[in-house]
Amino acid sequence: MLAQKTITKEILQKAFSTLCTAKSMTELYEENFKTVSKYVHATSRGHEAIQIALAMQLLPQDYAFPYYRDDSLLLGIGMRPYDLMLQLLAKKEDPFSGGRTYYSHPSLRDADKPKIPHQSSATGMQAIPATGVAMGMQYKEIIGIDHTSQDDLDKSEIVKQPMAAPLVVCSLGDASVTEGEIAEAFQMAALKQLPILYLVQDNGWDISANAAETRAQSAFEYANGFNGLDAITIDGANFTESYLALQEVIKTIREERRPILVHARVPLLNHHTSGVRMEWYRDDLEEARSRDPYPVLRNQLLSNGFTEDEINALEEDAKNKVSKDLEEALKAEDPKPEDLFTHDFAPTPITEEKGERSPSDKEEVVMVDCALFAVEELMKKHKECLLYGQDVGGRLGGVFREAATLAQKFGDERVFNTPIQEAFIVGSTVGMSAVGLKPIVEVQFADYIWPGLNQLFTEVSRSCYLSNGKWPVSMILRVPIGAYGSGGPYHSSSVESVITNIRGIKIAYPSNGADLKGLMKAAYYDPNPVVILEHKGLYWSKVKGTDAARTIEPSEDYVLPFGKANIVQQIWPQDEKETLTVVTYGMGVHWALNATKDRKETVEIIDLRTLYPLDEETIMESVKKSKKCLVVTEEPSNNSFARALAGKIQEECFRYLDAPVVTIGSENMPAIPLNSTLEQTMIPSTEKVKIKIEELLKY
């Protein structure tokens, strides 16, 4: 079906009514500035035409990633001013976040509207999750998973008609296109030809820095550097031009399944935010006002047969509606203190250890194979499961062979290489999860996780909480970690202290193959984001004294719940002898086991298995029994997770202790040196742990 070249009166009327609503909201907010500016907000004034032109053409099966100036877009898809005002005022019934995040930061899962996963305030960060949705759509189309969600089947009438192919919209400000993560998103969209529309609204400003100061080219010019990403530039302040241009673009994406960027030139007619006033720094306000989309659309109505009286009535209706909605929103209930403590995680079905841990018909295998077999079993059972990252594809199967043969067994569309883009690897899981997939992704070494932390912290970890439970991110991030075999300063780091400071993710750090497989299965069925730290020195048990990392491979149905520590060496309470608890994880378990071969009756060893959730009950009970505690980590001990845990133990068990809680870790140096002598001097060892245990027992 060819796109229409003219716009009906009904479309013009709806667009003008929506624009008047958005304009009236901005004006009303200014009139009531002291009341509504308790919390920071930004509005779409000047951007309304392009946003409404887009919103009116989106369908419920589409996904949208607006940015913080897109209140007209939200009105255009059917949100009421009252809905937006509840968020403006951080009210309990704010439909997006329950009063947790700023105005025009939507997260929406209504059956009759485009789906809007959570996104943050960080400029441009939504581009990678949005591109992840498009990648997920493409994957589902390739392997034959229906796009229709269960929510749509249950609640929506739209599925009674054949659905147009869905697409993704990512809305951006032009200044954000200078971000490096935008390049990662564009690269993948162009490389894989994903069905996504990048709408770049260019008003010429960052905050107080203008385009001439900060950009070598416009977003349109920049996009032309990506082979496979078509781009157009339009007057985004002209509704008719915007609507018709977007109509062609949307038709092309729906039918040809490829990315297009639309660069829309718009004026900014209101403040950057309510807290950064335009009159403080703007010198172009008169010129900007000359490009106001409101009179342009008003004249287009007049040219299409609307009378002044009809137009005035539309304006008056919008003003009255907005005024009434603000009055009602101000009366709405605020969140209660107890509302703080909901939706940090979605409930997991895995709460008990189940299945056979050591089946009689299975053989002992190395740790890396336990994980490989777990992923293979999951991929056989679930078409929604896929694996990607650097070098995990068919040629290599991972630098540790942790994905060996998987691409050959399941195809390049399910197991594939990515570019060297840690931010994309991590952040794309938000989008993959949003369309019902379960991505297992990998950062090649813990040292390379840093570019992905922005997405992990800003988008992945906060999605469930800030969407009020609507959009938990179901993903697994595998991270080979730790020092082994002279890996040097960029292949040997321990990073758990940084990861454990990100709230909203679960973290495993297993010490053996059976735990790794059980935790991998539990992570898959957990609807929340999970990071699995896998010590590369334990993968094949090549490090002396790590034979215990080899285990019988558990059964396919074996699951190990998070938050359940394992007492790998247990003692009874003793009055005659000094006793001690070692609390550790990963490689530390093996140092502790080897260091206490002659002290099995006086030293209890707790393998945490998961760093979050943490099994505090098992830890505290053990320390209260033994009355002394050593926390062992491979990280440098200063300011570490281990030292924080030691502080928690000291706080909880102070009345029971016979000695200070002590921590042993690597030397507090900036990096692990390449030279093997220096490496061994840097990190803990069986002998170092043994010496510390003896010192503490004699305290």
Side-chain angles (χ1 to χ4, degrees), residues 13 40 94 113 144 246 269 272 304 331 517 521 620:
Q13 178 174 324
V40 172
D94 154 30
K113 298 181 183 69
L246 286 170
L269 300 181
H272 168 73
N304 280 271
K331 298 175 185 175
K517 184 173 184 182
K521 291 293 183 75
M620 304 311 170

Side-chain angles (χ1 to χ4, degrees), residues 291-313:
R291 296 187 289 127
D292 188 341
Y294 160 70
V296 175
L297 182 53
R298 196 178 195 281
N299 288 333
Q300 288 170 355
L301 263 68
L302 289 170
S303 299
N304 280 271
F306 286 86
T307 67
E308 285 282 355
D309 286 346
E310 289 172 327
I311 292 172
N312 290 338

Side-chain angles (χ1 to χ4, degrees), residues 491-524:
H491 300 83
S492 307
S493 296
S494 294
V495 300
E496 58 265 30
S497 290
V498 174
I499 305 302
T500 52
N501 268 285
I502 300 175
R503 323 298 177 196
I505 59 175
K506 297 185 178 182
I507 305 157
Y509 200 147
S511 67
N512 61 74
D515 285 352
L516 178 52
K517 184 173 184 182
L519 290 167
M520 182 80 73
K521 291 293 183 75
Y524 184 83

Side-chain angles (χ1 to χ4, degrees), residues 22 28 59 118 128 140 199 289 309 349 358 410 424 461 464 502 508 511 546 562 567 605 663 682 689:
L28 190 62
L59 301 173
H118 161 263
I128 286 177
K140 291 171 74 172
L199 173 63
R289 290 180 185 121
D309 286 346
S358 301
F410 298 104
F424 186 88
S461 71
C464 186
I502 300 175
S511 67
T546 60
F562 277 57
I567 304 176
I605 301 172
T663 303
M682 173 83 174
V689 172

